[in-house]
Amino acid sequence: MEDKLQMDNGLIPQKIVSVHLQDSTLKELRDQASDRHTQALQQDPEPSREAERGQDAMKHTGRDDPKAPSEGSCKQRRGSEPAVESERGGGSMDYYHLHLSSCHECLELENSTIESVKFASAENIPDLPYDHSSGVEDVADEIVPAREGKRVNRTGKAPNILLYVGSSSQETLDRLQQVRSILADCVDTDSYVLYHLLEESALRDPWADNCLLLVIATSEPIPEDLYGKFMAYLSQGGKVLSLSSFFTFGGFQVASKAVLQRTVQNLVFCSSDQSEVRLSVLSSGCVYEEGPGEQLSPGRLQGHLENEDKDRMIVQVPFGACGGEAVLCQVHLELPPSSHIVQTQEEFNLLKSSNLRRYEVLKEILTTLGLSCDIRQVPALTPLYLLSATEAIRDSFMQWLGRHVDPEGVIKSSKLSLKFVSSHTSETEVTPSSIPVVTDTEVFSSEHFNLQIYRQNLRTKQLGKIILFAEVTPTTMSLLDGLMFEVPQEMGLIAIAGRQTQGKGRGPNAWLSPMGCALSTLLVSIPLRSQLGQRIPFVQHLMSVAVVEAVRSIPEYQDINLRVKWPNDIYYSDLMKIGGVLVNSTLMGETFYILIGCGFNVTNSNPTICINDLITEYNKQHKTDLKPLRADFLIARAVTVLEELIHTFQVKGPNGILPLYYKYWVHSGQQVRLGSTDGPEVSIVGLDDSGFLQVHQEGGEVVTVHPDGNSFDMLRNLILPKWQ
């Protein structure tokens, strides 16, 4: 719910789980509530607001049971903010219940097997050309044109670097910031995302399949169960960088040397090509020693101190038959010379003089572990340009704008201010919170967005008519914030960017947005009391299908293997992610105002793969000459298809669009496990009436499953709604 759910007493919601109450359980809860209410009346002649709310809430909960009688109707607050009680028991106050799409009173879910699966015939769901004898790496190598050179991400995994820094404390948060900072300076942030891996998440969530590199940077002992998770990741071909931690394996032991602790020492680092780098480093106070009787085969990377014992401080250790390896390090490469543990000016000077070489050593380690350290300069933010699909719609919007800007030409929202100006000069400041919007279209020119191409391919009645375009912006998801509730629906707004510096993903995830992505946020208004208004989760499915159909409906492009993955991803076959969808919805009165953020790779081969890579490979395999596609062209086509899909859904409901969805999805007959990697195996059969997955259990029963809330892979650890 994107942190929009507010609760009393400062409680923080972590998960929402459907609970179906049987009549006997419901009666017991009502009796308990009634008893508490009676006791309160005996103690206080004035009825308690809290008791009234509790009793009323129990009645409302009971109506979520399909077997319970339906009494009254769900009350919902008009507007986007929940009702808040300013003073407990003070003044007159109506209490409103949280309204969710799972409310059975407002949304009658189908209890039978989804009927529309029958429309997804064998002809509509072609077999995926996946060779189980070859790995993802082989496929990636084949897809990349020779001119692109070596790919950054050759594994097909999500480009995530996970940072484990130990249990939660201020010290660990400081360490997290230090590690995050040095890595962000070393790797290409257009190709990788840095995430904090909490201990709870490390034990519970399926992070191993979504991690290119695990960085362990904690001085605490690693719990045995967590150590097992890390070693399992290594055995699957994972890469680990240990920074001054007790993590070790392969016959190496961590030995303490108090005389070295927090002292500046001279290090000799041997790189993979056997060249040497000498530098001053801050020692952790530990060294690596060989265990008794162990026959070790370390890699070429290594580092030792220039002392009598030549203490071993950096070792490269391969593990397993799948290419797993780790670089273990007992010098503080993550700490800058300004760190508080550097005690003297002399030590600071020594470390400062070696700072450049510290970066060189760390980049050599990261490169050896498979990452790219080619740094690209973060571009400066640019102004927005106000563009339109037709001159008529532009004139109407300018008239509306004149009535709604303040005397300085500004429209403000909680996230940023848009200042509408006729022209832009280099002296005009552009910041994440204040962005100028240039209204004179005659001065607009961009190599990344051709307005004429967009106009020619947009065939909508409402959507995507008014365009806010920026070469570089923080995120398109914020640009429409101050306009979305005020602009008339026929002036459909869309924000488009050539590049984002702070792209948004699902939940806490970030979205990498290098040049070459099709990046947009579209405003869509949906009546609450409509087919789609009662099934808002389907919006993300419609957008995903719209992108795929935008490509595969082009004559001769129908076999480009672009597909949808539930719930909001766009994939090459079932192998690699090529794009995604993020939906934020706000209910105001009787209307949902929905921002649909969409990003998919068109010309950029990194960090995963792009549509033009698929076209190039298709041409090579089939001796064809399909032309590469443009982002502006595909955005216009996707918005057009989306409007058609929304119209079909509003008339026919889910059955109107599911045949096309099943034609393109990757899950036909796919096996997944419920609860954990050891849970029961089930087969995916389709979507239910709300857009959740339905699976077939052994024994013939078809049930709906929900995500468990992990941010790595929504198809992992699926859970059944609880029954009580």
Side-chain angles (χ1 to χ4, degrees):
M1 296 188 67
E2 301 296 330
D3 299 325
K4 292 185 175 65
L5 176 59
Q6 298 183 14
M7 299 174 66
D8 290 339
N9 303 322
L11 295 176
I12 300 175
Q14 297 293 331
K15 185 182 297 185
I16 297 177
V17 179
S18 299
V19 178
H20 299 274
L21 296 178
Q22 302 297 339
D23 288 336
S24 57
T25 307
L26 180 61
K27 183 178 184 302
E28 181 180 344
L29 289 172
R30 282 177 170 169
D31 290 343
Q32 292 175 2
S34 178
D35 291 343
R36 288 195 297 268
H37 184 59
T38 302
Q39 293 173 4
L41 289 175
Q42 292 173 350
Q43 297 172 2
D44 188 345
E46 293 295 325
S48 165
R49 278 279 184 191
E50 202 66 40
E52 291 177 12
R53 177 164 52 177
Q55 191 175 32
D56 192 38
M58 287 300 166
K59 293 179 182 178
H60 180 71
T61 304
R63 289 198 298 268
D64 277 349
D65 181 11
K67 299 178 181 179
S70 177
E71 305 172 27
S73 62
C74 284
K75 294 181 180 179
Q76 66 191 60
R77 179 174 175 81
R78 294 180 180 269
S80 60
E81 297 298 325
V84 178
E85 182 183 7
S86 58
E87 293 291 334
R88 189 172 300 276
S92 176
M93 177 68 69
D94 292 331
Y95 291 97
Y96 295 85
H97 302 298
L98 179 66
H99 175 80
L100 299 175
S101 60
S102 59
C103 176
H104 288 262
E105 181 182 6
C106 302
L107 175 62
E108 295 181 0
L109 298 178
E110 295 178 357
N111 293 320
S112 60
T113 304
I114 190 163
E115 292 293 332
S116 50
V117 171
K118 65 186 179 184
F119 294 109
S121 64
E123 292 77 24
N124 286 339
I125 309 177
D127 291 334
L128 297 175
Y130 182 73
D131 181 3
H132 292 277
S133 65
S134 62
V136 174
E137 183 173 337
D138 299 327
V139 177
D141 288 343
E142 294 172 1
I143 283 295
V144 182
R147 57 182 173 80
E148 294 292 343
K150 180 181 177 181
R151 291 185 56 81
V152 171
N153 180 0
R154 300 173 63 88
T155 66
K157 290 184 178 182
N160 300 332
I161 301 173
L162 303 187
L163 314 177
Y164 175 75
V165 293
S167 58
S168 180
S169 68
Q170 186 57 50
E171 181 182 354
T172 58
L173 292 178
D174 292 342
R175 189 182 304 117
L176 172 67
Q177 183 57 39
Q178 292 162 349
V179 175
R180 189 192 298 272
S181 177
I182 185 67
L183 292 178
D185 287 341
C186 289
V187 302
D188 176 13
T189 53
D190 270 347
S191 298
Y192 307 104
V193 187
L194 307 175
Y195 286 119
H196 182 195
L197 181 64
L198 297 170
E199 183 173 332
E200 179 185 10
S201 179
L203 291 171
R204 179 196 64 206
D205 293 337
W207 57 269
D209 291 340
N210 298 275
C211 177
L212 283 180
L213 175 67
L214 170 65
V215 179
I216 304 173
T218 176
S219 57
E220 304 168 0
I222 298 174
E224 185 176 346
D225 51 354
L226 190 56
Y227 178 82
K229 290 280 188 180
F230 292 164
M231 293 305 297
Y233 167 67
L234 271 172
S235 69
Q236 298 166 11
K239 310 293 184 180
V240 173
L241 171 58
S242 174
L243 294 173
S244 304
S245 82
F246 289 102
F247 179 79
T248 187
F249 63 94
F252 286 103
Q253 299 176 348
V254 177
S256 177
K257 269 197 169 183
V259 68
L260 298 178
Q261 188 171 11
R262 295 188 175 184
T263 61
V264 175
Q265 302 289 330
N266 294 325
L267 178 77
V268 179
F269 176 75
C270 298
S271 61
S272 56
D273 62 2
Q274 299 301 299
S275 61
E276 291 187 351
V277 177
R278 283 176 164 78
L279 67 158
S280 297
V281 293
L282 188 62
S283 170
S284 68
C286 293
V287 299
Y288 294 108
E289 295 181 348
E290 299 178 9
E294 295 287 351
Q295 297 295 320
L296 304 175
S297 300
R300 292 186 175 184
L301 284 188
Q302 56 179 302
H304 65 268
L305 296 184
E306 278 192 310
N307 59 8
E308 183 178 353
D309 295 330
K310 291 190 176 181
D311 291 313
R312 186 175 287 181
M313 308 299 284
I314 298 176
V315 290
Q316 178 188 3
V317 191
F319 184 80
C322 297
E325 65 177 331
V327 174
L328 312 178
C329 180
Q330 287 298 337
V331 293
H332 287 294
L333 295 178
E334 75 279 11
L335 295 182
S338 58
S339 171
H340 69 91
I341 68 174
V342 178
Q343 300 175 2
T344 68
Q345 183 69 44
E346 180 183 3
E347 290 180 338
F348 171 83
N349 293 340
L350 287 171
L351 294 173
K352 194 69 173 176
S353 65
S354 292
N355 203 41
L356 182 59
R357 278 164 285 173
R358 176 173 71 100
Y359 276 90
E360 291 175 0
V361 169
L362 187 53
K363 288 181 181 180
E364 172 74 15
I365 292 173
L366 294 171
T367 301
T368 299
L369 292 172
L371 274 63
S372 169
C373 293
D374 297 329
I375 302 299
R376 301 175 188 173
Q377 184 176 2
V378 177
L381 300 180
T382 63
L384 290 165
Y385 285 87
L386 177 62
L387 311 172
S388 61
T390 66
E391 291 304 317
I393 199 73
R394 174 184 173 80
D395 292 341
S396 298
F397 182 80
M398 292 302 293
Q399 293 174 14
W400 175 89
L401 190 63
R403 298 191 298 270
H404 287 81
V405 295
D406 68 14
E408 296 182 352
V410 175
I411 290 181
K412 294 183 179 180
S413 73
S414 60
K415 296 179 179 178
L416 80 165
S417 297
L418 300 178
K419 183 172 183 178
F420 292 83
V421 296
S422 59
S423 61
H424 172 72
T425 63
S426 57
E427 289 77 22
T428 305
E429 186 179 20
V430 183
T431 69
S433 60
S434 179
I435 302 177
V437 183
V438 180
T439 58
D440 184 0
T441 58
E442 293 184 3
V443 301
F444 173 73
S445 174
S446 171
E447 63 176 299
H448 303 111
F449 184 79
N450 186 305
L451 181 58
Q452 193 61 30
I453 291 176
Y454 180 85
R455 285 176 168 177
Q456 290 171 353
N457 291 278
L458 187 73
R459 298 285 185 269
T460 61
K461 295 180 179 179
Q462 291 187 351
L463 299 186
K465 296 291 190 179
I466 295 293
I467 308 118
L468 293 180
F469 175 79
E471 293 285 357
V472 183
T473 199
T475 169
T476 58
M477 290 297 288
S478 300
L479 298 180
L480 305 183
D481 195 55
L483 303 171
M484 59 187 292
F485 301 122
E486 305 294 337
V487 173
Q489 295 182 21
E490 63 270 15
M491 300 181 188
L493 292 173
I494 187 171
I496 300 174
R499 181 172 181 177
Q500 295 179 137
T501 59
Q502 301 171 20
K504 305 292 185 183
R506 176 172 49 84
N509 295 346
W511 178 258
L512 298 172
S513 309
M515 201 65 74
C517 287
L519 304 167
S520 65
T521 295
L522 179 70
L523 175 63
V524 178
S525 301
I526 302 294
L528 168 64
R529 303 187 188 281
S530 66
Q531 292 266 25
L532 188 54
Q534 294 295 291
R535 301 168 177 85
I536 289 299
F538 264 100
V539 171
Q540 60 190 333
H541 306 324
L542 298 185
M543 188 70 237
S544 299
V545 171
V547 172
V548 175
E549 178 72 356
V551 175
R552 299 186 64 167
S553 61
I554 303 171
E556 300 183 18
Y557 287 73
Q558 63 272 10
D559 293 326
I560 299 300
N561 201 357
L562 202 62
R563 295 185 175 274
V564 294
K565 178 183 176 183
W566 183 88
N568 60 348
D569 287 336
I570 301 154
Y571 258 60
Y572 155 54
S573 184
D574 60 347
L575 301 175
M576 301 180 74
K577 184 171 179 175
I578 215 164
V581 175
L582 175 66
V583 175
N584 285 348
S585 61
T586 303
L587 181 61
M588 294 282 285
E590 294 290 309
T591 302
F592 276 108
Y593 295 87
I594 302 172
L595 292 178
I596 307 175
C598 184
F600 53 96
N601 301 336
V602 180
T603 65
N604 57 305
S605 295
N606 290 317
T608 54
I609 199 170
C610 69
I611 290 172
N612 283 347
D613 285 343
L614 306 187
I615 295 171
T616 299
E617 178 64 14
Y618 184 87
N619 286 336
K620 184 174 71 174
Q621 296 295 329
H622 296 85
K623 304 297 188 288
T624 54
D625 190 28
L626 302 182
K627 302 302 180 186
L629 302 177
R630 293 176 54 101
D632 41 23
F633 169 81
L634 289 179
I635 291 173
R637 286 183 62 86
V639 172
T640 301
V641 175
L642 177 65
E643 188 174 84
E644 295 170 354
L645 291 173
I646 290 175
H647 174 73
T648 301
F649 197 105
Q650 295 290 44
V651 174
K652 300 180 180 180
N655 288 344
I657 60 90
L658 281 174
L660 186 64
Y661 185 81
Y662 292 141
K663 176 182 177 180
Y664 291 140
W665 83 335
V666 302
H667 305 298
S668 299
Q670 182 179 350
Q671 303 288 310
V672 294
R673 291 191 179 274
L674 300 183
S676 68
T677 55
D678 300 322
E681 192 172 61
V682 295
S683 300
I684 296 176
V685 297
L687 302 185
D688 72 3
D689 194 58
S690 293
F692 286 107
L693 281 182
Q694 285 195 318
V695 299
H696 182 267
Q697 288 183 307
E698 186 177 356
E701 186 180 10
V702 174
V703 296
T704 292
V705 292
H706 293 186
D708 75 336
N710 83 79
S711 62
F712 294 100
D713 188 346
M714 292 183 74
L715 279 174
R716 300 287 293 273
N717 300 353
L718 292 167
I719 57 176
L720 288 169
K722 292 183 178 179
W723 293 80
Q724 293 186 354

